[in-house]
Amino acid sequence: MNAARRRKRPALRATGCFAVLVAGIVLATVASAHHMDVLNGVAVGIIGITLGIAFGQLVKAYQTQVRLPVQTRPLIAMSQAMDAGQPVSGEFKAGLRDVTPGVPRTYWKHGRVKLTPQSVTWEPVTGRARDLTGAQCAGDRRIDTTYTEMTLTLPSYYKGENVRVITLHADGSDIELAAPARLLEIVRYSLARTTPGAP
């Protein structure tokens, strides 16, 4: 999930902020020595703003370094199981909505896809779980950047990923599932394994 790159970005930004901070301190010192009150005020403002930004970036760097590996470990385990042709177990966050022809589309709902060797389910934040075991994949598309996808909200750590939408036909109805492409690939693999008659 590009974890290494994401860990570096906030740290690099923080380093840049500290460089600006040093320049601001030098400017404030020179302005103070020459009794240039306006320039001194500007320098103090730059120092204050830069300190705030640098602190924010350091906090973000720490959070990214700690949390992203926690998010990527299950993905790595699921990917390794799939690549080895083994049953997949795990869970991840995904959006879901109903898109059955002739029925008004519902809003995207938040939830988790849960995979076991025997089943594929989607569990909403509140409400009843949806059994997707044996569902047939009926399509794949990119996220629509127009207003039609405005109700789709995915976790911040999915930012920068290749988020896709797949259409699944299950129990006489069609649903759409949104998540990063690699996770949807794992879903397809698990669905194929849980389809009756699959090895």
Side-chain angles (χ1 to χ4, degrees):
M1 307 273 280
N2 301 323
R5 188 185 304 171
R6 288 182 183 171
R7 284 197 297 269
K8 290 177 183 176
R9 285 178 185 169
L12 289 174
R13 290 185 191 129
T15 302
C17 286
F18 280 116
V20 174
L21 181 62
V22 170
I25 292 171
V26 171
L27 181 62
T29 303
V30 171
S32 180
H34 291 83
H35 305 289
M36 302 170 71
D37 295 336
V38 174
L39 187 58
N40 188 44
V42 171
V44 169
I46 291 172
I47 292 170
I49 293 170
T50 306
L51 269 175
I53 295 172
F55 179 75
Q57 292 302 315
L58 285 175
V59 170
K60 189 174 181 181
Y62 170 77
Q63 291 175 337
T64 302
Q65 188 169 4
V66 170
R67 294 176 184 173
L68 269 181
V70 174
Q71 301 296 343
T72 56
R73 275 197 294 269
L75 171 61
I76 292 169
M78 289 188 289
S79 293
Q80 288 175 341
M82 181 179 71
D83 293 340
Q86 300 297 318
V88 175
S89 295
E91 63 178 68
F92 59 88
K93 292 185 178 180
L96 178 143
R97 69 175 175 177
D98 289 287
V99 290
T100 303
V103 177
R105 291 192 177 193
T106 59
Y107 292 112
W108 284 102
K109 298 174 184 176
H110 308 288
R112 289 178 175 271
V113 171
K114 292 196 174 183
L115 307 171
T116 72
Q118 298 80 28
S119 66
V120 178
T121 58
W122 182 81
E123 298 185 3
V125 176
T126 58
R128 215 170 64 181
R130 189 106 176 228
D131 186 9
L132 306 178
T133 307
Q136 301 295 314
C137 186
D140 179 297
R141 67 177 178 83
R142 294 170 181 252
I143 288 290
D144 188 349
T145 55
T146 65
Y147 69 94
T148 58
E149 304 284 25
M150 285 179 64
T151 59
L152 174 62
T153 304
L154 292 172
S156 59
Y157 50 82
Y158 284 172
K159 187 177 180 182
E161 298 296 327
N162 178 25
V163 175
R164 305 281 298 182
V165 176
I166 59 172
T167 303
L168 301 175
H169 185 73
D171 297 327
S173 63
D174 290 338
I175 60 170
E176 285 186 331
L177 202 63
R182 180 61 172 172
L183 295 175
L184 294 180
E185 185 181 346
I186 294 170
V187 168
R188 286 195 196 92
Y189 170 80
S190 296
L191 288 173
R193 289 187 63 92
T194 57
T195 299

